[in-house]
Amino acid sequence: MRIAIGRLSRRLRTTAAGSAAGLTPTRISVLLTVVRDGPVRLSALAASESLNPTMLSRVIADLVDADLLERTSDDGDRRAAWVQATDAGQRLAQRMRRERTDAVNAALEGLPPAERRLLEQALPALEALAEQLQDRRP
């Protein structure tokens, strides 16, 4: 099971839209996290992405230069900063999600009906697992 999930995750990590934008898997993950979580402090983003501050700083700078994210200072703490997605970043994230959804749907259509039913039966357990993992995020 671990191998299959890892392979699926790797195949869905990059998309045509992400590749066309020149994004690495790390940049894609950061962009999608910022789009999903809304404006987020860099310290919280570093923790949720398991990136050290130097690496995150480089990734954020690249995404800001690409006009996908904007970075602002925290009014209450000048040492802290926030990032949020630009309109272009949100549109790119939507395209990448759509491509991932389309890829999963196409793969599902290629499975025999019995295997699709097994996956449908497993969905409640997978959703519960996803909630547990979400609850563990810093």
Side-chain angles (χ1 to χ4, degrees), residues 30 33-35 37-46 48 81-84:
V30 168
T33 297
V34 172
V35 168
D37 294 346
V40 61
R41 284 182 78 141
L42 287 180
S43 57
L45 185 58
S48 72
W82 291 81
V83 289
Q84 66 182 26

Side-chain angles (χ1 to χ4, degrees), residues 3-121:
I3 294 169
I5 291 174
R7 254 186 276 151
L8 177 64
S9 176
R10 276 193 303 281
R11 289 179 201 242
L12 293 176
R13 208 171 278 158
T14 56
T15 63
S19 295
L23 299 184
T24 63
T26 300
R27 290 180 188 138
I28 290 170
S29 180
V30 168
L31 175 62
L32 292 175
T33 297
V34 172
V35 168
R36 181 189 64 236
D37 294 346
V40 61
R41 284 182 78 141
L42 287 180
S43 57
L45 185 58
S48 72
E49 291 292 311
S50 299
L51 293 173
N52 68 53
T54 302
M55 175 63 130
L56 181 63
S57 180
R58 288 185 192 136
V59 169
I60 296 298
D62 291 341
L63 293 170
V64 167
D65 288 346
D67 193 36
L68 299 172
L69 294 182
E70 59 183 22
R71 179 183 172 144
T72 56
S73 295
D74 187 313
D75 291 335
D77 182 355
R78 291 291 176 190
R79 297 168 298 168
W82 291 81
V83 289
Q84 66 182 26
T86 62
D87 289 342
Q90 290 183 14
R91 285 190 303 273
L92 178 58
Q94 287 173 343
R95 281 195 308 273
M96 289 188 296
R97 280 195 199 110
R98 193 174 329 111
E99 287 176 5
R100 288 176 174 183
T101 300
D102 291 347
V104 169
N105 285 335
L108 286 171
E109 289 173 8
L111 292 177
E115 289 182 11
R116 283 198 306 260
R117 279 192 297 281
L118 286 173
L119 286 172
E120 288 172 5
Q121 292 170 351

